Amino acid sequence: MIVKTTLIVAAVFMFCLSIVQVNASGAMIVDEGEVRAEIILSDTASRSTRLAANELQTYLAKLSGAKLAIRSKPSDGASVKIYVGESPGLKELGVTADGLEYGAYRIVSGEGWLALIGDDADFTPIEPWAKSNSGRGEKLQAEWEKASGLSLGVPNGGLYKYRQRMPLSLAKQEREYLWQFDERGSYNAVCGYLRSLGVRWYLPGELGEIVPQMASIPLPKVDRTVRPDFEVRQFNVRFATVDEEVMRWSMRLGIRHSYGLMIAHGLHTMTHPEILKKQHPDWFALYGGQRDTQTGKRLNHLCYSNRELFDATVEWARAQFDIYGYESVSIMPPDAYISVCQCELCSGQQIDKMGARGKLSNHVWNFVNRVAREVGNTHPHKRIVCCAYGANTNPPSNLKQLEPNVEVVIVGGRRPRNSLPEQRVAIQALRSSWLEITDRPILVFENYPFTARKTYLPAFVARTIGDSINATKGVSRGEDIWLSFPRVHDDPNIGFNHFQVYFTARMWWGGGDADVETMLDEYCRIFYGAAGPSMKVFFEYCEVNYQAMESDKQKIDTLLEIFSAAKASVMPGSTHGRRLQLIDRYLDALRNKGKQLQQKRGLVTKLRTVREPKEPIVIDGKLNETYWRDCLSSSTGNLRELQVGSQPIFGTTVKVGWDRSGQALYFGIRCDERVGESLNITTTKNEDESIWYGDAIEIELDTDSHSYYQIVVNPAGALVDLDRAAGKDSRFRWESQAEVATHIAQDHWNVEIRIPVTDDENDPLNQVIGRKPSQSLPWHFNICRQRIRENGSEYSAFSPTGTAGFHVPMKFAHLYDGGSHTFEVDPTASDLLTEFSAANKLMRRKQYDRALTAFVALAKNGAATDYQLSLIHI
């Protein structure tokens, strides 16, 4: 959006006095609206150079109303020549792009000329590669196998996503593509020069632009070289998947995707061809006596003690270096690797005492280090990459020094969501511990809040973003950031996402000591106009308090009052008002959260874990371990009829427990049946939605960190898991990684399930995310059962919802870990009856009397059904 304000030249250049100074000769680029300059572009200019010249022409016209001509050679008519990119004329002046790496640029002027220059090398893809989605399957796999001689996974199946067609007016041929891997040094120089004139790109599209109006633009006196602080500057934006405005916006912010930098889950890519599961079953992990070779499974884990797997990995890495010229190859386990293979060779490799984020570090990093050592013998200047992630986040204890060609990518190496000072200590310690065993700079991988997964907390944390980036300068080679990157410039969540992207991208170019405070002041003042002061208060309040808004309605109300004051200071429908509207739209979900916090959950059932299993629970569905047989009454509950809470015809018993490490939640569920009657099993396949047409158990988990997950199991052991917080198009992408087994008997069927739990939020697509619940900060959950027959169906739940459906979060029960066992009065009649009955059988008079007294109190308040009253003759 062009700012309709006339600025005198002096004021414009005071804006960025450190960047340019007015040339003493008085030469002008534009003089009172009259063109005095021309843009010089070589006949052999690369794609990004042509784009840069066009960008300069466009924005100088927006600034001044004067359109400069673009020529291949200087003419006699213009007094100032603006050279974009390398050209013969610049070489005569002694100006080249030598030494300008990774997007660095130089802005330099002389008598009657200005040069905007950097490395503009075009990327050329190496065959074989898929030209579209239809070409990435068997055809590409066959071409890769022919080129490499290996029947292992093809590493570049999605290369086509990194290109977008050049605008026809700039293309040299009909189907010319701009690649994300093109170097854009001169483009960065143009954007740097335009920023010196006051241009800003806060959002993609016209609404996000700041373009001052000026009648005259002098030729500056300048010689400045600008180098980014990080070589790798990546977001999960793909040129082929976004509109042109979003693509241009990302380029204007100076991102850089490095070709051949393979980061995540390389071993999944290598081993995903189904044929390998049949040809090499011993490559895959052994769990419960079976190799992890299930056909169609998204993630199959590996046996890192297998010598053939090691040799194949070395060959696969070398083939990528030789064929595609990659700079690095990822030797990282498939996603959600949480338990070591159980074969004899891997026995003892899982070190549980190293904790949830270190128990697999020795095993994983030893494998990576061995591969790197072997590959280094033939490719000493290439790198082997692995992410410090999940159960191998912490450094290994069995390696004093990594091989020099191992590159560590720390997932959560900055964690800007951890905006409180005390939260920063552990992150700094993690980086320091890795730097002790490697001489190579690290890389950082971050997952920012995902609006596509219904994040609602206002994590506007500019200072934490800036400070955390500054803290990694000099020790990090760069970053790969994943978030819900906008695909179109009018994306409904752009109000939140642009903030994350803008402050991150500009801090990558900070010069070592970027002042995020100055950036935030400028952003509020320029972008929001009269609302700027209030918005500065808004962002400051968010940074300090947003985490507490998960449970604190007062803080939500305070923030919304601050924002209301900001809105009241500008005209609705104005440019500034429309920008505020983008954030207003994002805050709708926070408003809903405030309403939810205002509601009272009321009397709901509780289930409490008291004892941890002394021995590992074998997931076989039989529920015959000592823990299940002796499960305490506080960790045992019964399902009741879904709508009215009465005793169902077919009873269901639930038992719960945590493992000793606090890394897994167990449920043991017994579903009573009519003797000899067939069960209604509608599928035997995982992720088959027909599961809901038959008998099934549902587990809903609303943790302290996420609301909420849904896991469905039927009598055949088929499992469907989904993230109810995600959008409808992506909720089935989440995988619980649960281990489940069922057992069918004459008069009942059982479900036994182990659900991994992590407090690491860096992998939102795998595992339940949450911290072990306590009485003061419980989880909310429900266990529901559907029994569907032709002559009628029965629905029951641990915490009845009072409706015909299972999904009523405000009716979810409490789940928490209670430490040592003490009798606790439960506010529900059904659970008090269970306590009463157990005490009666065990002759525990004191417990019997307390349960009876509590039940009578509920009965007087009408909180017990007639059937429940009849059970103890009240």
Side-chain angles (χ1 to χ4, degrees), residues 39 41 145 164 180 199 215 280 415 434 690 700 753 761 806:
I39 299 169
L41 181 68
E145 291 182 8
Q164 190 176 117
Q180 208 153 336
V199 178
H280 304 285
R415 295 205 178 190
W434 275 107
S690 66
E700 272 81 53
I753 188 168
E761 298 181 358
F806 294 159

Side-chain angles (χ1 to χ4, degrees), residues 78-141:
S79 58
V80 174
K81 318 299 179 187
I82 304 179
Y83 295 92
V84 177
E86 291 193 293
S87 68
L90 268 186
K91 287 184 179 179
E92 294 174 5
L93 296 170
V95 179
T96 70
D98 293 347
L100 298 176
E101 296 182 301
Y102 314 129
Y105 60 87
R106 186 181 180 195
I107 303 176
V108 57
S109 65
E111 194 66 32
W113 61 271
L114 173 67
L116 307 171
I117 191 171
D119 178 11
D120 299 339
D122 281 341
F123 167 72
T124 302
I126 299 172
E127 297 288 350
W129 63 282
K131 312 307 185 289
S132 64
N133 187 57
S134 61
R136 67 181 299 181
E138 294 181 3
K139 181 177 182 293
L140 179 60
Q141 181 68 34

Side-chain angles (χ1 to χ4, degrees), residues 29 50 68 175 179 203 243 284 307 313 317 356 380 396 408 440 495 514 521 543 556 623 717 726 743 762 780:
I29 293 172
R50 280 176 269 149
L68 277 62
R175 296 176 69 86
W179 281 88
L203 295 172
D243 69 18
F284 294 87
R307 180 67 198 194
T313 303
V408 179
R440 181 176 293 281
D521 282 342
E543 186 138 18
I556 293 175
L623 305 182
H743 175 74
N762 275 296
H780 301 109

Side-chain angles (χ1 to χ4, degrees), residues 277-390:
K277 299 171 188 177
K278 297 179 180 179
Q279 293 178 340
H280 304 285
D282 290 348
W283 289 9
F284 294 87
L286 185 72
Y287 295 125
Q290 296 182 337
R291 293 288 175 181
D292 192 17
T293 56
Q294 181 179 336
T295 300
K297 186 179 178 184
R298 185 171 73 88
L299 300 168
N300 297 89
H301 290 293
L302 304 168
C303 173
Y304 297 104
S305 300
N306 185 283
R307 180 67 198 194
E308 283 189 359
L309 176 69
F310 172 83
D311 291 339
T313 303
V314 170
E315 286 188 278
W316 187 65
R318 286 172 172 161
Q320 291 175 78
F321 293 138
D322 292 340
I323 294 171
Y324 290 125
Y326 283 177
E327 65 175 65
S328 62
V329 167
S330 172
I331 305 301
M332 178 189 175
D335 208 353
Y337 181 46
I338 57 176
S339 181
V340 75
C341 168
Q342 296 169 353
C343 75
E344 291 183 4
L345 294 174
C346 291
S347 179
Q349 297 298 319
Q350 181 167 313
I351 314 298
D352 288 331
K353 67 180 181 180
M354 292 178 67
R357 294 182 183 161
K359 64 182 181 180
L360 300 183
S361 289
N362 287 6
H363 194 45
V364 170
W365 289 100
N366 181 59
F367 181 84
V368 171
N369 212 48
R370 287 166 49 219
V371 170
R373 186 182 305 123
E374 192 70 21
V375 171
N377 292 331
T378 56
H379 298 75
H381 302 298
K382 300 292 187 177
R383 294 187 289 273
I384 297 298
V385 167
C386 184
C387 289
Y389 171 72

